[in-house]
Amino acid sequence: MVEEGGKAMAAYLTPRDPGKTDDMAEDIADALKTVSHVAEYWMADPQRTVEAQSRLMAGYLSVWANTMKRLAGEEVAPVTSPDAKDARFKDQGWSESPIFDALKQVYLVTTQWAEEMVGEAEGLDPHTKHKAEFLVRQISNAISPSNFVMTNPELIRETLSSSGENLVKGMRNLTEDLIEGKGTLKIRQTDMSAFEVGRNLATTPGKVIFENELMQLIQYEATTESVKKTPLLIVPPWINKFYILDLTAEKSFIKWLVDQGVSVFVISWVNPDARLATKGFDDYMRDGIMTALDQVAIASGERQAHAMGYCVGGTLLATTLAYMAATGDDRIASATFLTTQIDFTHAGDLKVFVDEDQLASIERKMKDMGYLEGSKMASAFNLLRSNDLIWPYVVNNYMKGKAPFPFDLLFWNADSTRMPAANHSYYLRNCYLTNNIARGLAELAGVRIDVHKISVPVYSLATKEDHIAPPNSVYIGANLLSGPVRYVLAGSGHIAGVVNPPAKKKYQYWADGPTGPSFDLWLQGARENVGSWWPDWISWFSYQHPEEVPARAIGGGRLTPIEDAPGRYVRARS
């Protein structure tokens, strides 16, 4: 294990330039500054300090007393218990052994106390308190006894039964991940060799019919004799790749749409490098959505198209619709927003990464490189659910010494993309920092954006457990629009709630709640439906323009296909 550990250390140190400071230095300094604000509140008053310490010690003493009773053979109720959904303490050893049970309870008492210290700290501005809550949660997750060999009964059994071979394999896995990340730990969440884009992912038949420096446009082959007369243009996020909507054939939303008789066109964004540093939000609008609409019209022969935007692709679609409303462009017949925020007032934990100091730091780094590395955004998303997306894999890969299971969704999650400096700066500042798009203060291509002018029919989907686009935030944004809006809430989260094929019969969705500004009142009055939201959407979509025409040939005889779907752009790795 020591020998393998030396290799891991070399893999960490070798790529680093001598004398160059680690990027984490600024993040650590910012975290210490944030937590110090909480500490100042409690330390400023000696009486308050004593009360806080006494509360913690009382919890420890209760755990100690209970443990002594258990060791003496008594049955006692625990002082505190983990959440029923907390997988960290599922192993029998955490409850059967009084010692490990005490260790678990001491950890829970400590972390609950720390969270209370932040929650009860007065005088903090809301952003600082939000950051402190997030940081304390990350620290709590990191120091869990489940993350260490000597404090995890399952890992102790594993180590003894294999004579430590699990630790040797784990250190070997650590070395491989450091080499793959070029000195930065790139934790494998799945078997990356099990999947390949174009082989067993993104396999729905189609052709790239147009490309420019920002995107390729894909048209998919019809599988029905007739198709909806008005085609559909899908605008995916550029923070990840479009094939989240075209995973395996059984999970592919795109394939399902084609099989329902929809003429589907999809934008596949380029994975940008420094050459596209100056490409901004307006470029993504003009050279992305607007240009794609031009090409869809040529290929389909239809002047209008429906549009669907996912996550930040939906935010771009909303701003584009506002721009089109201001300029008299009515080529989009209806819009579907999937987990899309237009108003970012309640944008969740991602807001902890955005304030003026942090933005200045991000923009300095982007200025040097021309883009934000995909790994930076991937790390931020993983931190939002670190107990699901970080620590289980640390334990599995490096302590149990096992390889992660093949999982297509996690392969996609690891296939991150870069963001052009100008585009990402505009997005962070006008959405997360100032909320200017919702406030009507943002501009695109010299035009003031007013989302209230969007009057096309809209289907707005949120997901109940979304940590990126919280359902309340999506609801508030949908209520800014002036046209008819069907708001639907799906079960599960940002990805699984969207990619939910009807055949799986998983989750549920809520719809038809009372209109008004209150999401809570809407949810109370909404009707719960079993299964996927996809059939509900196709009913809504078909109602907009029910006319059908004979199935179209790709390119419509007017555009020459460039290559097979999914195209070159989506295959480019960061």
Side-chain angles (χ1 to χ4, degrees), residues 171-441:
M171 200 61 69
R172 198 171 294 143
N173 289 341
L174 177 64
T175 303
E176 292 172 0
D177 288 355
L178 284 166
I179 292 172
E180 176 68 21
K182 298 179 175 60
T184 299
L185 183 58
K186 188 174 182 179
I187 302 172
R188 276 174 292 177
Q189 298 170 326
T190 184
D191 179 1
M192 297 297 287
S193 65
F195 301 100
E196 182 183 348
V197 176
R199 178 175 62 85
N200 54 3
L201 297 176
T203 58
T204 302
K207 303 284 185 182
V208 175
I209 59 170
F210 174 83
E211 67 181 34
N212 58 27
E213 61 183 347
L214 278 186
M215 62 93 178
Q216 288 188 317
L217 182 65
I218 301 170
Q219 182 180 2
Y220 288 91
E221 292 180 6
T223 60
T224 54
E225 291 185 1
S226 63
V227 296
K228 303 297 181 188
K229 186 173 185 289
T230 307
L232 173 69
L233 171 65
I234 298 178
V235 184
W238 54 85
I239 291 175
N240 284 103
K241 297 181 178 179
F242 84 87
Y243 68 88
I244 186 59
L245 298 175
D246 190 23
L247 292 170
T248 59
E250 297 78 18
K251 294 180 181 177
S252 173
F253 183 52
I254 289 173
K255 181 181 184 303
W256 184 84
L257 289 173
V258 171
D259 289 344
Q260 304 304 307
V262 180
S263 286
V264 180
F265 296 79
V266 175
I267 290 174
S268 173
W269 299 107
V270 73
N271 194 353
D273 55 25
R275 291 171 294 182
L276 300 179
T278 60
K279 294 296 182 180
F281 223 67
D282 50 354
D283 293 298
Y284 272 64
M285 177 187 72
R286 285 185 303 237
D287 298 336
I289 294 178
M290 306 288 272
T291 298
L293 287 171
D294 293 338
Q295 303 305 314
V296 169
I298 294 171
S300 68
E302 293 295 321
R303 190 181 71 82
Q304 282 194 316
H306 301 286
M308 173 183 287
Y310 191 176
C311 191
V312 66
T315 306
L316 177 67
L317 175 60
T319 57
T320 301
L321 282 164
Y323 176 90
M324 295 171 77
T327 56
D329 188 338
D330 67 347
R331 286 180 293 160
I332 292 181
S334 78
T336 298
F337 297 118
L338 306 180
T339 62
T340 292
Q341 293 180 103
I342 300 171
D343 185 293
F344 286 74
T345 304
H346 304 287
D349 284 343
L350 275 177
K351 292 192 77 170
V352 305
F353 298 104
V354 183
D355 53 44
E356 193 57 57
D357 289 342
Q358 291 184 92
L359 268 182
S361 174
I362 292 170
E363 287 173 339
R364 282 196 302 272
K365 293 170 185 175
M366 290 196 298
K367 184 177 180 181
D368 292 339
M369 302 185 71
Y371 55 86
L372 182 71
E373 293 179 10
S375 60
K376 300 297 184 184
M377 284 299 296
S379 296
F381 287 133
N382 287 340
L383 282 171
L384 298 183
R385 293 173 54 207
S386 58
N387 270 347
D388 295 321
L389 297 176
I390 296 179
W391 297 112
Y393 298 99
V394 169
V395 171
N396 181 78
N397 299 3
Y398 310 138
M399 296 176 198
K400 293 183 179 179
K402 297 179 179 179
F405 291 107
F407 189 15
D408 52 3
L409 198 153
L410 289 176
F411 176 92
W412 167 85
N413 190 55
D415 193 7
S416 57
T417 56
R418 298 177 287 266
M419 273 67 70
N423 178 296
H424 201 55
S425 179
Y426 181 96
Y427 175 55
L428 293 179
R429 287 192 173 278
N430 285 278
C431 294
Y432 284 95
L433 186 65
T434 64
N435 203 24
N436 276 345
I437 288 174
R439 295 165 61 204
L441 300 177

Side-chain angles (χ1 to χ4, degrees), residues 437-494:
I437 288 174
R439 295 165 61 204
L441 300 177
E443 287 190 0
L444 274 182
V447 174
R448 180 66 64 88
I449 298 303
D450 183 358
V451 294
H452 295 87
K453 293 181 178 178
I454 298 173
S455 59
V456 299
V458 164
Y459 188 104
S460 180
L461 178 82
T463 53
K464 194 171 187 180
E465 299 169 17
D466 202 327
H467 57 288
I468 295 172
N472 181 37
S473 184
V474 174
Y475 185 83
I476 292 170
N479 271 273
L480 295 177
L481 313 180
S482 61
V485 175
R486 179 167 177 76
Y487 177 85
V488 174
L489 179 65
S492 195
H494 192 73

Side-chain angles (χ1 to χ4, degrees), residues 102-161:
L103 183 62
K104 172 187 68 181
Q105 291 189 65
V106 165
Y107 164 73
L108 294 172
V109 165
T110 304
T111 54
Q112 289 164 7
W113 172 84
E115 290 172 3
E116 289 170 359
M117 291 300 98
V118 177
E120 295 173 14
E122 298 176 0
L124 300 180
D125 70 84
H127 180 68
T128 299
K129 178 170 275 194
H130 191 182
K131 282 175 66 176
E133 290 169 345
F134 180 81
L135 288 166
V136 166
R137 189 160 64 249
Q138 298 307 315
I139 295 168
S140 297
N141 294 345
I143 65 172
S144 171
S146 60
N147 295 337
F148 304 95
V149 174
M150 298 307 296
T151 55
N152 184 328
E154 184 183 8
L155 292 177
I156 290 174
R157 288 199 310 271
E158 186 95 29
T159 303
L160 292 175
S161 64

